[in-house]
Amino acid sequence: MDDPYQNNVYQQGTEGVGDNTYTHYGEGGGGQDGYGYQTDYPPQEEDAASDATEGHDEDDQMYEGEYQGIPHPDEIKAARRAARLAAREKAKAAAEGVREDEELADQYEGIMEDCGHGRFQWTLFVVIGLALMADGVECYVVSFALPSAEKDMCLSNANKGMLGLIVYVGMMVGAFIWGGLADKIGRRQCLITALSIHCTFAFLSSFAQGYGFFIFFRLCSGIGIGGSVPIVYTYFAEFLTMDKRGEHLSWLCMFWMMGGLYASFTAWGIIPHYGWGFSMGSEIQFHSWRVFVLVCALPAIGSLVGMMFMPESPRFLLENAKHDEAWMILKRVHDTNWRAKGEPERVFTVSQIKTPKQDDEFIEIQSSTGTAFQRWMVRTTTLIKQVMMNVMSLASADLRLTSLFMAIIWFTMAFSYYGLSVWFPDMIKYLQYEEYESKVKIFHREKVEHFHFNFSLENQIHREGEYIHDKFTNIEIKSVKFEDSLFEDCYFEDIKSTQTFFENCTIKNTVFYNTDLWEEKFIDCKLENSTFLHSKKGCHLNFQEENDILIYLVSFLGSLAVLPGNIISALFMDKIGRIHMIGGSMLISAGCTFFLFLSFSQAAIIAWQCLFCGASVAAWNGIEVITVELYPASKRATAFGVLNGLCKLAAILSSSIFAAFVGITKVIPILMSFSALMCGGLLALKLPETREKLLL
């Protein structure tokens, strides 16, 4: 008696020229066409008909566009496959055989065309778009929270600089780690783990009271979110067909812009509101900027929840010889899309998919012996070796030149973009500071006796003054400097100070009660019989003054300005090609940098920032699309992770360099940006065009 399950048994056979690196599944039983999975659908009798088709003759049905000469979608797909087959046969005649990875790529492309583009891809688009949005938010979190955090935690200039850079350090490390792991243990699993780490440490950082814990938590948070960019693009690209890839990956880039808009809007809406927090004594403070840090984790949380319902990339599963799992996921994509389009009767007929052989049998044998710790060590060591070998393979003969060109383009683009992103707001702050300094009031040799100062002092310099039997109570002192002055028998109570110093002053018989005036604010002063009682701990935090709304507006407009560039790049990515999009955008951006020589006011800087951001975003979109397409599936996420890590290294260097020239000269930052963009733009024109290239 025949085995009723024989059609579901996969038999391995060999074929091909030279070394056989692929196995075929489903070739034995399963009907005359060899479709082993068709037993999922019961055979119908000849005369059987569904209710939907009852009363209609099959020969009478006609495609409604036939009268207008419009080809049927199935005919279009068949034409595409025929064109690819003809190109492959031509290459075979010239090179005596087709690379087997190209055979898999061609077959996978045909399967994705059968699956169609619809509800599944759009759902995945939103879910992983939130992860990309979280990456965009992360780039702004510290810069928006820093003006308040530096007061809340009494940060020095050195600590502020380190806090601003630590996020990029974490993202650089995370891109390298998660990109490499995604090619070995899966795109979905790595993205879920990375987002979980990010959400956990972002939550902890909002409650961290000390600088050490806060910077550590932000570093770990950056490591987590650093994996989102390389995994998201790799993951989404493997669910797209060739004709949809450039456009939809470009639309995906808009989520990074939305991250900047979200961060700017929430910072403006939350941070200036001092009452949006709570205190537990004087040691634990949860001010509104901490609420902002917490809210910024919401996009990552949304993506994490959505990823729980998303499948693994079938292309990754096929690369790892997990044929059955890949088939089930592809069937799910097919059924989801066609059911949403009103064609649930469409049957997923794929049964044979090429999968490469694996050489990990020795590892599995070793992993099944020894103690649990030994097995874990074997697996971990093996995984690290595999990741490092994958990284080293990017410098192999067939990828060496491509990797070098892409590294230079990524670095030059990031160096200019992130450097100017820091330079624009810093220049605005510098212009504000210059304007503020120009309005300083100077008092020389004033003598005040028996006077009660019950009003705030701001932006003043007092030189060689004498203050005898004076009271300073319940006031705020901001940007005030006392030089070579005498304070005798004075009384200070409930004083809040910002940028206030006493230099070369003599202070006699004076009481400081409940003030934040410490020894650090008395520079080369003589204190005689003076008393400090109940000094305030921490730094004064004034949300009305420390948070300039203009900075939020600048970031908001800069993020919004990339919208036109995003739309243009998405619509024309497949029409003009990746290399022309990258090269043209970088060269236009280089030209925009020269307008920065005309930035003499805050309004001018904002205008040139919007122009630069709008022109450069098309290059970013093209770079990310072509990076996905240039590398094979087994190295795609690794290459993207290495290049994205290099991008963050460029961000660290340029942020430090450009910030050092603020207030000194604008020539060097502008020339450095121009040179980098010109170099990267011209080099991009030497890259191979990939818009009609199969995803290997």
Side-chain angles (χ1 to χ4, degrees), residues 593-670:
T593 58
F594 272 97
F595 287 108
L596 298 178
F597 284 112
L598 304 177
S599 55
F600 300 110
S601 65
Q602 298 179 34
I605 291 178
I606 295 174
W608 303 136
Q609 178 192 16
C610 293
L611 180 64
F612 175 79
C613 291
S616 61
V617 68
W620 276 122
N621 294 357
I623 289 171
E624 286 154 348
V625 171
I626 202 172
T627 301
V628 168
E629 296 173 333
L630 282 174
Y631 293 92
S634 60
K635 300 176 177 62
R636 186 170 296 128
T638 300
F640 212 124
V642 171
L643 294 172
N644 193 250
L646 187 64
C647 163
K648 295 305 186 288
L649 175 62
I652 295 171
L653 295 176
S654 60
S655 299
S656 304
I657 294 172
F658 282 42
F661 289 101
V662 173
I664 299 176
T665 178
K666 66 175 69 171
V667 175
I668 294 179
I670 292 175

Side-chain angles (χ1 to χ4, degrees), residues 112-236:
M112 292 310 302
E113 286 181 358
D114 286 339
C115 291
H117 187 93
R119 175 178 292 176
F120 179 88
Q121 280 85 357
W122 286 114
T123 304
L124 183 63
F125 176 81
V126 174
V127 170
I128 62 176
L130 290 174
L132 194 60
M133 181 178 172
D135 182 88
V137 170
E138 186 72 7
C139 295
Y140 292 91
V141 170
V142 171
S143 60
F144 287 154
L146 192 56
S148 301
E150 67 173 301
K151 298 298 180 183
D152 199 8
M153 295 188 287
C154 304
L155 302 182
S156 63
N157 289 332
N159 287 342
K160 286 190 295 181
M162 178 59 68
L163 188 57
L165 294 177
I166 199 66
V167 174
Y168 288 115
V169 173
M171 295 172 79
M172 177 181 68
V173 174
F176 181 86
I177 293 175
W178 298 115
L181 290 176
D183 279 333
K184 294 302 176 184
I185 63 178
R187 284 78 159 110
R188 176 182 179 272
Q189 182 177 345
C190 282
L191 186 56
I192 289 176
T193 305
L195 290 174
S196 300
I197 292 174
H198 167 68
C199 294
T200 300
F201 286 100
F203 175 81
L204 293 175
S205 69
S206 66
F207 290 92
Q209 299 296 310
Y211 170 75
F213 280 110
F214 185 76
I215 196 172
F216 173 74
F217 290 149
R218 292 315 302 181
L219 172 65
C220 295
S221 173
I223 292 175
I225 201 60
S228 63
V229 172
I231 298 177
V232 160
Y233 284 100
T234 301
Y235 184 44
F236 191 49

Side-chain angles (χ1 to χ4, degrees), residues 147-148 150-152 154-155 160 433 436-437 456-460 475-482 494-502 515-518 521 536 538-547:
S148 301
E150 67 173 301
K151 298 298 180 183
D152 199 8
C154 304
L155 302 182
K160 286 190 295 181
Y433 176 76
Y436 186 78
E437 286 287 298
S456 296
L457 305 177
E458 181 177 356
N459 199 20
Q460 300 175 1
I475 64 174
E476 295 184 5
I477 307 177
K478 180 181 179 182
S479 299
V480 176
K481 190 174 184 180
F482 295 94
D494 293 329
I495 305 297
K496 297 179 180 179
S497 64
T498 304
Q499 297 296 320
T500 297
F501 300 97
F502 298 79
T515 71
D516 59 3
L517 300 174
W518 309 290
K521 298 191 176 184
K536 293 182 179 180
C539 300
H540 172 50
L541 188 59
N542 189 324
F543 286 88
Q544 302 301 323
E545 298 177 355
E546 300 300 336
N547 297 279

Side-chain angles (χ1 to χ4, degrees), residues 76-77 80 109 112-113 115-118 121-122 125 233 236-252 337 341 569-571 573-575 578 625 628-629 690-693 695:
I76 297 176
K77 292 179 182 178
R80 288 176 182 165
E109 179 71 17
M112 292 310 302
E113 286 181 358
C115 291
H117 187 93
Q121 280 85 357
W122 286 114
F125 176 81
Y233 284 100
F236 191 49
E238 292 172 348
F239 284 98
L240 299 174
T241 56
M242 182 194 303
D243 59 328
K244 300 286 186 181
R245 203 162 53 228
E247 178 185 353
H248 287 269
L249 286 176
S250 297
W251 288 126
L252 185 66
N337 288 340
K341 293 178 181 180
S569 64
L571 296 178
M573 184 68 71
D574 290 319
K575 293 180 174 62
R578 283 64 159 143
V625 171
V628 168
E629 296 173 333
T690 58
R691 57 179 162 173
E692 296 181 356
K693 183 177 182 292
L695 207 60

